[in-house]
Amino acid sequence: SVWPDWAYMHYEPAPAECTEYAADDSITFESIPTFDTTRCSGNLLNNGDFENIADLPGLGGWQNNDMYLELVQSDSNYALKAKVNSNPRVTSHYVSQYIDRSCLDSSVNLEFNADVRFEDSNTGKKAWCHGSSCPKATLDFIGEEWDEAPILSSSIGTISNTEYVNGWYRMHGSILLNEHYEI
């Protein structure tokens, strides 16, 4: 779930025949739940393990910028396949998701783990990444406008070249939220 900091409410004029039309007093937002260690333990991503995503319209909470996303199955596990579209005007390609803000609190240690495999877009064969050419997982804190640059961006996951197993890299890392993060 995502709890907005704000919402811009714009109501169209009610049709003449309508008596129960939405107005300022007919919509309320639930307040953000208080931080709870038990509730916030585990996976903070919506459909982060892909297990139930096959039954959802679209791809659950997963979003992207200029990428084609597909749910694929390998053995008994699911994976999200992301392929960059070839739009030369787009310079930023990513897969993203909003995190439950109620589970972000000062002194919380967030851990990130993902298995990642690279394929050549032309041949479909396994590809490799090394050093700075490998993608990173970042945690972006954004302001009130969804399209503005992040207020703060921190790397939370990197790929280790030594953890390459059967075509998969292990991306992992952690970040301790402290006084440097406005939550």
Side-chain angles (χ1 to χ4, degrees):
S1 298
V2 176
W3 290 271
D5 284 331
W6 56 275
Y8 175 71
M9 305 299 288
H10 175 76
Y11 300 98
E12 296 291 326
E17 307 83 37
C18 186
T19 57
E20 296 183 20
Y21 202 72
D24 283 329
D25 61 349
S26 62
I27 295 176
T28 57
F29 288 104
E30 292 184 30
S31 57
I32 297 175
T34 57
F35 178 80
D36 179 283
T37 304
T38 304
R39 181 178 59 82
C40 293
S41 295
N43 197 344
L44 293 183
L45 297 180
N46 185 16
N47 309 113
D49 59 8
F50 308 112
E51 292 304 314
N52 299 317
I53 205 170
D55 300 326
L56 297 174
L59 290 170
W62 292 98
Q63 304 167 49
N64 73 87
N65 188 53
D66 198 45
M67 299 187 84
Y68 169 73
L69 301 181
E70 177 186 3
L71 182 68
V72 294
Q73 188 170 8
S74 173
D75 301 325
S76 62
N77 297 320
Y78 287 98
L80 187 64
K81 183 176 185 176
K83 182 178 179 180
V84 173
N85 291 328
S86 56
N87 184 346
R89 294 185 308 249
V90 178
T91 58
S92 178
H93 307 279
Y94 57 83
V95 175
S96 67
Q97 194 170 109
Y98 291 106
I99 296 177
D100 180 350
R101 288 182 352 119
S102 71
C103 290
L104 301 181
D105 195 27
S106 59
S107 301
V108 167
N109 188 45
L110 297 177
E111 294 181 12
F112 180 86
N113 293 293
D115 292 325
V116 181
R117 184 174 73 188
F118 302 101
E119 295 179 356
D120 183 293
S121 61
N122 295 320
T123 65
K125 293 183 179 181
K126 294 176 192 170
W128 294 265
C129 77
H130 298 286
S132 63
S133 70
C134 295
K136 293 181 178 158
T138 59
L139 187 61
D140 290 340
F141 291 88
I142 59 175
E144 291 182 356
E145 299 294 328
W146 67 272
D147 59 346
E148 70 182 78
I151 294 170
L152 181 64
S153 186
S154 297
S155 178
I156 189 172
T158 57
I159 291 177
S160 168
N161 290 333
T162 60
E163 295 184 41
Y164 182 79
V165 179
N166 296 329
W168 293 86
Y169 288 95
R170 185 74 176 159
M171 180 185 280
H172 59 91
S174 64
I175 191 169
L176 175 64
L177 299 180
N178 54 30
E179 69 275 1
H180 300 292
Y181 297 92
E182 290 184 27
I183 300 171

